[in-house]
Amino acid sequence: MKYEIGDKIIVLHSKEEGVVVDFISTDIAMIEVEGVRFPVYLDQIDFPYFEMFSKKSSGVQQKKYIDQIKPEKPEYKFKTGEGVH
């Protein structure tokens, strides 16, 4: 079999992570997602590893080096000349 009891899985249609709890038959497994147990067909679940490695991580920022930083533009103030306005 592809899965064993205790394997972490992901439900394909809802992208929720769960654990395989029991096997009902050769093509139906009982899984637990967020404390709720329900049966699913084995073709509706998959291992979560591809999903973890393929999505982009938003928490990691690239380092900025000094030559990549744009120089600040000076603020221009209106200069008033001498004389009558």
Side-chain angles (χ1 to χ4, degrees):
M1 294 188 102
K2 184 177 178 181
Y3 303 102
E4 294 180 3
I5 295 175
D7 283 346
K8 292 183 181 181
I9 52 97
I10 188 167
V11 182
L12 293 177
H13 73 278
S14 65
K15 304 295 185 205
E16 293 178 318
E17 293 186 12
V19 177
V20 176
V21 179
D22 193 19
F23 289 101
I24 298 175
S25 68
T26 58
D27 48 330
I28 299 176
M30 180 72 71
I31 65 169
E32 182 174 342
V33 177
E34 297 178 1
V36 179
R37 292 183 177 191
F38 54 92
V40 294
Y41 283 100
L42 294 180
D43 61 347
Q44 296 176 348
I45 59 176
D46 197 14
F47 289 109
Y49 307 115
F50 177 73
E51 186 76 23
M52 287 189 298
F53 290 118
S54 65
K55 67 179 170 181
K56 296 180 181 178
S57 60
S58 61
V60 178
Q61 296 178 354
Q62 294 180 351
K63 291 184 179 181
K64 289 188 177 182
Y65 296 102
I66 192 72
D67 57 343
Q68 294 175 341
I69 298 175
K70 295 180 181 178
E72 295 181 8
K73 295 182 179 179
E75 294 183 21
Y76 294 108
K77 295 182 180 178
F78 295 106
K79 295 184 178 180
T80 57
E82 297 179 12
V84 179
H85 296 277

